[in-house]
Amino acid sequence: MDKQKEPKKDVSRRNFLKMMGGLGLVGATTALTGCEHSKEPIIGDFNQPLVGDGWVPEQYQTAKNWPAQVRGRIPIHPKTVVLDRNDQKCILCGQCIEVCRDILSVFGYYKLPVIDDVVCIGCGQCIMWCPTKSLMEKNDIAGVQEALADPNKFVIVQTAPATRVALGEEFGMPAGSWVQGQQVAALKELGFDRVFDTNFSADLTIMEESKELYKILTGKYDKPLPLITSCCPAWVKFCEYFYPDLLDNISSAGSPMQMLGAIAKTHYAKKNNLDPEQIYTVAIMPCTAKKAEIKRPEMNASGRYWGKENIRDNDAVLTVRELANLIKTNGLDLNTLPEKDYDPVMGKSSGGGLIFGTTGGVLEACLRTGYYLFSNQDMPEHLLEFTPVRGLKSVKSASLDIPGLGTAHVAVLHGLSDARVVFDAVRRGESPYHAIEVMACPGGCIGGGGQPRTTLPPSNDMRKLRMNTLYKKDAAMNLRRPHRNPEIIDLYRNFLEKPLSPLAYQLLHPVDFKSRADHIQALDHRRKV
Amino acid sequence: MSKGVLVDITKCIGCDACTVACKMWNNIDFGENARFHAQERSEVHDKNAFMLDYKNWTKIILHKPEKNGEKVWRYVKFQCLHCIEPGCVASCFATALRRNENGAILFYPNLCVGCRYCMLACPFDVIKYEWEKTFPLIAKCHMCSTRMEQGQAPACIGVCPTNVMTFGDKDDMLALAKTTIQNDAKYVPHIYGEKEAGGTAWMYISDIPFEQLGFNTDITTRPIPEYSYDFQKYTKHAMVGIGTLLTALFLYTKRRNNIAEEEAKKKNN
Ligand code: SF4
Ligand code: SF4
Ligand code: SF4
Ligand code: SF4
């Protein structure tokens, strides 16, 4: 605590005694005479009280009681699995709390006093805005390294769609560089036993989600409309906090990440004679909220399958930044690595799975398969570029004529503050939509809180570059419709039977309606407190 | 004009911006672990103590009291309360603690002889020695006295995103506290610091009774100095004699032994 104004002196015993004598007398004289000012300073200036000699940002140097316009910072849950902050680097610039309030509409949108939580949806956007990198994700590299070093562990890794258009930036490539093959190569170099693609399970999510929508629209499923996507865990958390009455609208399908983990520890383990408890599943995500998602109690569908509750569908999530860190510390350079392919059985995907990484992509993919479900024919080529749901407008809505259904109305939302208008309309029963896609991060996962930091704050230019690469690659693919993915077809034929089969339901729909209803009740109860 | 601060406990979200501002403005290092604050939170603090120390002049402590049968979280910002009639000032024969015209209790490090009388005299357990230094000094919140001289609020106040604290003339703050709790039934009808220890510059309002938030509510409403008058008379006479020197020597030796013990402990670990 270096508070004294005076040069610090080491006080020897002799000096101390001398001082004590002097001080005692001076102090005594002062006290006895009531004199406020002391005479001869012995060390330093007696009349110098302890005062501040540091600094605070200029905005706080304001007269009287005016609060600074931009001030403070976000609160962090004491047991958070998402965020970390180094207080020494924090300059109280207030950027984190600005984005949390203005883009995510989280801070400032809950009543005070707090109940028993720190309200945070884990999106990690605050990390992207923090100028000093005081805010970070909770670092989970050590756990992954440990698993990699353990010869008894079979380590499976999956990579989210949006990672392959961003990782390159950490290695000096321009925004939007396509590094899918290099990323796979790097992961293999790092010693992962299998490298699978989350795009594959994105296709799987589409199979389940579009079937769910089909059943609702054909009256076979009792679930309110619109059906809202479930793959963004930050959005799910947001819904729990602010719109618990809409939880029933969220698809029961798990996220692609959850599905891949669950299949890896069941079907894949069985086929390859692996003990599911030996498998360690890692997910490379553009997202920090995924770190919280894997810890949710229901995310152990594979554990329930085996009757061993301790088996989690996914064991660790690394952000793209953490992966870059891991690659660099292992002396690898993405620029010079050869391109490699994903491992089979869960390595193929359609263009629909790929565009999950950007806002609008999930819905577009869902329509590609939904079109087939209703009309029994593949969506015509010219509709595959469904432009009304593309781009960076925060609220996008579109209609599509589907034979066998009529006109489908859909909406796509990202960055949650503008989305509230639509949620409010749904709440009042005034929404015209059949399906809504929601992503918490502006731009969707390509702008996720776990992505490389580029401009501060992140700009739309950067988002557009990453997004365009995804669309370009989708357009160049032959396989664009999720239900045509041969590996998906095999998975249903050999294991899951068909979408929404009891087994598919058990493994791929970690939240059932019953527990959601309980949850809604619990939340209602708390709000009354 | 005496200044005051009103702390509304119901508004705090526990972001710890205030404690960081305190460290920035006062140039206090963060210790070994700069992630200190978040970790501190992982434990519940139901103890009747605020655990300030010479490196942490203000802290946000998470309490988990019950409200309507359910556990709720409340964050309490704590620092020196800056008594109107401070016990520490009265107890310090070296006049190393003084109250200035704004009502801040200032510490004069070069006058302190390290006798610890103030530690005993403080009814709120605010004053703590620096244990790491060979010549121990007190360190505590000084209400950003130089900022107040410039007409600015203390550093922790302006950075608060939810305006937990309001700064102004002491009388206005008391009036504000009164109207706030009168107009909102959620508050308990108690302004902590209005009467405690004869009144303090920092005052608190809350929706949870203060004794459940770690506040010492057994405190007398009589100003602390009244209690130390006898003691004060005694010290005035004693200190000119050899007695003081012996006491000081005793304390100093004891202190050195403490340090030696601490260091030995550290080495053994
Ligand atoms: S992670 Fe998202 S919700 Fe949580 S504090 Fe940061 S910006 Fe706000
Ligand atoms: S953005 Fe970073 S530096 Fe700024 S207040 Fe938030 S945590 Fe601190
Ligand atoms: S939009 Fe994507 S990156 Fe952002 S929180 Fe949701 S899933 Fe994560
Ligand atoms: S800055 Fe305000 S909200 Fe944040 S911890 Fe301090 S008093 Fe609480």
Side-chain angles (χ1 to χ4, degrees), chain A residues 3 16 20 45-46 50 52-55 60-61 64-65 71-73 84-87 113-115 525, chain B residues 10 15 24-27 34-35 37 54 70 73-74 107-108 110 135 147 151 159-160 163 166-167 248 252:
Chain A
K3 278 319 317 114
F16 174 77
M20 285 306 292
D45 182 358
F46 279 176
L50 198 58
D53 59 356
W55 65 286
Y60 301 122
Q61 304 282 45
K64 294 254 173 58
N65 206 13
R71 65 183 184 277
R73 56 182 202 165
D84 200 353
R85 181 165 52 199
N86 185 333
D87 281 342
V114 294
I115 303 175
H525 175 62
Chain B
T10 66
C15 71
M24 282 174 94
W25 182 252
N26 293 302
N27 217 352
R35 295 178 187 117
H37 296 102
Y54 73 96
E70 300 215 7
W73 289 13
R74 288 294 175 273
F107 174 57
Y108 291 73
N110 295 316
F135 186 44
R147 288 178 64 94
V159 304
C160 175
N163 295 330
T166 319
F167 171 74
Y252 178 60

Side-chain angles (χ1 to χ4, degrees), chain A residues 1-4 6 8 11-13 16-17 19-21 23-24 27-28 30-32 36 38 43-57 60-65 67-68 71-79 84-88 90-92 97 107 110 112-118 136 525-526 529, chain B residues 10-11 13-17 20-21 24-30 34-35 37-38 41-42 54-55 57 62 70-75 93-95 98 106-113 130 133 135 137 139-140 142 145-147 151-153 155 157-163 166-167 186 207 236 239-240 245 248-249 252 256:
Chain A
M1 189 237 52
D2 304 311
K3 278 319 317 114
Q4 293 90 281
E6 315 320 321
K8 278 147 244 144
V11 183
S12 72
R13 193 183 171 91
F16 174 77
L17 288 178
M19 227 157 60
M20 285 306 292
L23 278 177
T30 315
L32 287 172
E36 277 288 287
S38 46
I43 43 158
D45 182 358
F46 279 176
N47 277 308
Q48 179 56 57
L50 198 58
V51 292
D53 59 356
W55 65 286
V56 285
Y60 301 122
Q61 304 282 45
T62 150
K64 294 254 173 58
N65 206 13
R71 65 183 184 277
R73 56 182 202 165
I74 51 128
I76 296 183
H77 193 288
K79 299 215 168 110
D84 200 353
R85 181 165 52 199
N86 185 333
D87 281 342
Q88 200 147 14
C90 176
I91 53 168
L92 300 176
I97 205 158
F107 169 72
Y110 45 87
L112 296 176
V114 294
I115 303 175
D116 57 359
D117 198 1
V118 170
M136 298 158 279
H525 175 62
R526 275 174 29 146
V529 174
Chain B
T10 66
K11 285 189 189 166
I13 54 171
C15 71
D16 262 311
V20 169
M24 282 174 94
W25 182 252
N26 293 302
N27 217 352
I28 309 173
D29 71 57
F30 283 78
R35 295 178 187 117
H37 296 102
R41 290 298 163 57
S42 42
Y54 73 96
K55 277 190 177 172
W57 300 353
L62 172 58
E70 300 215 7
K71 270 221 179 330
V72 294
W73 289 13
R74 288 294 175 273
Y75 299 98
F93 58 76
T95 65
R98 304 180 202 167
L106 301 186
F107 174 57
Y108 291 73
N110 295 316
L111 287 173
C112 175
V113 297
E130 341 171 69
K133 295 243 168 118
F135 186 44
L137 294 171
K140 72 179 246 328
H142 51 84
S145 52
T146 48
R147 288 178 64 94
Q152 296 172 356
I157 293 173
V159 304
C160 175
T162 52
N163 295 330
T166 319
F167 171 74
K186 79 169 177 244
D207 64 331
K236 276 183 187 177
M239 75 174 70
V240 271
L245 215 58
L249 264 174
Y252 178 60
R256 278 171 57 103

